[in-house]
Amino acid sequence: QQQVKQSPQSLIVQKGGISIINCAYENTAFDYFPWYQQFPGKGPALLIAIRPDVSEKKEGRFTISFNKSAKQFSLHIMDSQPGDSATYFCAASKPSNTGKLIFGQGTTLQVKP
Amino acid sequence: DTGVSQDPRHKITKRGQNVTFRCDPISEHNRLYWYRQTLGQGPEFLTYFQNEAQLEKSRLLSDRFSAERPKGSFSTLEIQRTEQGDSAMYLCASSRPGTDNSPLHFGNGTRLTVT
């Protein structure tokens, strides 16, 4: 059972543009929603995370928008840069163990200069 | 903070051989996790430890897999009688316990290729 669905699978954006990646989850017991960034040959690194008591969280150029009723959340990368080219994963976990993450399938982002 | 360290970075083995991977977590982190990531997919949870106790194992962790964390510091993941389907990146991660959603810090993984 795929509990976290991510789209699109790949994304190409021009430098300076906005990158948007979407995720949908099924289990209403999830209460922690992080986004991870992964470069080739490296492990995933936490970008930003949100809990369902807020609808939006912003850190620098990265913003999470959260819609609890729709069970959806998205990552927005403003002013996208070539250095942002990487694979992005959304994830979710339950309160009992926030380290036991259910990941989406990933989105490969390419930012063209 | 020296980060999560994994060794080796790459391992090529023949089908049927046993392999062992090591993970050194961030020193003050008492939770340690193993994940597996296949090409083009997100990481999948395998197991986790709090200190030396293995508290949960995924159904993905067949009987051929065993993980240990004998002194609550480093951990090892052993795969016996490797199969080609075991080829993947094995990721280790660590975190502090607590209610503040202490973030998971991943290592750079061990890439296993079974020929």
Side-chain angles (χ1 to χ4, degrees), chain A residues 28-40:
Chain A
T28 54
F30 291 149
D31 82 333
Y32 175 64
F33 303 90
W35 283 90
Y36 280 81
Q37 178 189 56
Q38 186 174 30
F39 293 103

Side-chain angles (χ1 to χ4, degrees), chain A residues 29-34 36 46 49-52 91-103, chain B residues 31 33 35 45 48 50 56 93-106:
Chain A
F30 291 149
D31 82 333
Y32 175 64
F33 303 90
Y36 280 81
L46 179 67
I50 198 169
R51 300 195 70 181
S93 66
K94 299 178 186 178
S96 56
N97 187 350
T98 56
K100 183 184 174 184
L101 293 166
I102 308 298
F103 282 86
Chain B
R31 285 188 177 177
Y33 298 78
Y35 281 77
F45 169 82
Y48 99 97
Q50 180 157 310
E56 188 171 347
S94 68
S95 73
R96 292 191 306 267
T99 58
D100 61 347
N101 295 322
S102 178
L104 211 53
H105 295 259
F106 282 89

Side-chain angles (χ1 to χ4, degrees), chain B residues 5-14 16-24 34 64-70 74-82 86 90-92 109-114:
Chain B
S5 177
Q6 292 189 247
D7 184 71
R9 289 298 315 278
H10 304 275
K11 179 70 177 178
I12 300 173
T13 191
K14 293 186 177 180
Q17 297 296 303
N18 299 344
V19 294
T20 300
F21 311 140
R22 177 180 169 124
C23 171
D24 287 89
W34 286 98
R64 296 184 297 105
F65 288 70
S66 63
E68 294 182 344
R69 195 182 182 198
F74 72 92
S75 175
T76 58
L77 177 67
E78 181 183 17
I79 309 174
Q80 295 182 328
R81 304 180 305 281
T82 52
D86 297 332
Y90 289 85
L91 293 164
C92 177
T110 293
R111 179 163 295 286
L112 173 66
T113 303
V114 182

Side-chain angles (χ1 to χ4, degrees), chain A residues 2 6 8-10 38 87-89 103-108, chain B residues 36-44 87-89 111:
Chain A
Q2 197 168 33
Q6 184 173 344
Q9 188 174 351
S10 62
Q38 186 174 30
T87 301
Y88 293 81
F89 294 96
F103 282 86
Q105 304 94 306
T107 297
T108 302
Chain B
R36 180 171 68 187
Q37 185 177 24
T38 53
L39 206 59
Q41 300 296 318
E44 294 175 294
S87 295
M89 175 80 83
R111 179 163 295 286

Side-chain angles (χ1 to χ4, degrees), chain A residues 14-29:
Chain A
Q14 292 293 326
K15 179 182 175 182
I18 302 173
S19 304
I20 302 174
I21 306 170
N22 301 300
C23 278
Y25 64 97
E26 299 171 1
N27 193 331
T28 54

